[in-house]
Amino acid sequence: GNTSDVAVLEASTTDTVAPLLVSSSPVTNTVDVNVPTTGVVVKFTFNENVAIGTGAVTVRDYATQAVLTALTQTALSTVSGDSKSLNLTIPAATFTAAPQKFYVEISSGTITDAAPALNAYAGLFGMDALALTTEDNDAPTVDVPNSTATGSNGVAVDSTIKVAFSENVKAGTAGNLILYKGSVALAN
């Protein structure tokens, strides 16, 4: 009889490469980011399928680097129908000024790939990795110096009236500045 030795060769590959961030939405340096009551949502898209790991997300004030809020991985959520993306929700209460420039840091391990080895995303660090500015929805307030304060008497007709605002302003395209004496308009 004939005899045969059959050799079976099995090969497997192991994913040892960590995911890389491809994009974020909004992109870094976006201004006028809306702050709904449900919070600011930032979508991160990677070069491969990702999963939520264990770690920290820190939101910092751009000017002072002070921590505005410290979050865990629970602030991340999956994106339906997109296994390469995760959403980060930053609570609206984080933003105490408008506009407010801030940046996001994500520690290594907070996001991993979906491979069995769970290769950790290296993280997002530094002021310019993802810096955003919230929109300014607050109208400026007016501060009239004491020399021409409301109700001042004896102000000469040709006086210069200085008005200071609570923030930088620019002239609009509509509207008027009207001076009143009691309920009667003096100038328009």
Side-chain angles (χ1 to χ4, degrees), residues 5 40 43 80 90 115 127 135 138 146-147 174 180:
D5 290 327
V40 172
K43 180 179 178 182
S80 179
I90 305 168
M127 296 171 62
E135 65 186 352
D138 297 330
N146 288 341
S147 63
Y180 287 91

Side-chain angles (χ1 to χ4, degrees), residues 17-24 44-48 50-51 53-54 76 86 104-113 118-125 129-130:
V17 179
L20 298 173
L21 183 63
V22 174
S23 66
S24 69
F44 294 101
T45 302
F46 294 86
N47 66 332
E48 64 177 307
V50 289
T54 303
L76 293 166
L86 294 172
V104 176
E105 294 184 318
I106 301 175
S107 67
S108 177
T110 304
I111 299 169
T112 67
D113 64 13
L118 298 178
N119 301 302
Y121 166 58
L124 190 66
F125 299 99
L130 181 62

Side-chain angles (χ1 to χ4, degrees), residues 151-173:
S152 293
N153 292 312
V155 178
V157 173
D158 61 346
S159 293
T160 300
I161 299 174
K162 294 182 180 181
V163 179
F165 293 91
S166 60
E167 60 184 277
N168 291 335
V169 296
K170 64 180 180 178
T173 58

Side-chain angles (χ1 to χ4, degrees), residues 33 35 95-101 133-139 166-167:
V33 174
V35 184
F95 308 105
T96 57
Q100 185 165 22
K101 188 169 185 178
T133 304
T134 61
E135 65 186 352
D136 181 1
N137 290 326
D138 297 330
S166 60
E167 60 184 277

Side-chain angles (χ1 to χ4, degrees), residues 10-72:
E10 291 184 26
S12 65
T13 59
T14 303
D15 179 356
T16 59
V17 179
L20 298 173
L21 183 63
V22 174
S23 66
S24 69
S25 178
V27 297
T28 194
N29 294 320
T30 296
V31 296
D32 291 333
V33 174
N34 185 33
V35 184
T37 57
T38 55
V40 172
V41 176
V42 179
K43 180 179 178 182
F44 294 101
T45 302
F46 294 86
N47 66 332
E48 64 177 307
N49 294 345
V50 289
I52 299 169
T54 303
V57 177
T58 306
V59 180
R60 295 181 179 271
D61 181 81
Y62 193 87
T64 66
Q65 289 82 50
V67 174
L68 296 175
T69 191
L71 307 167
T72 65

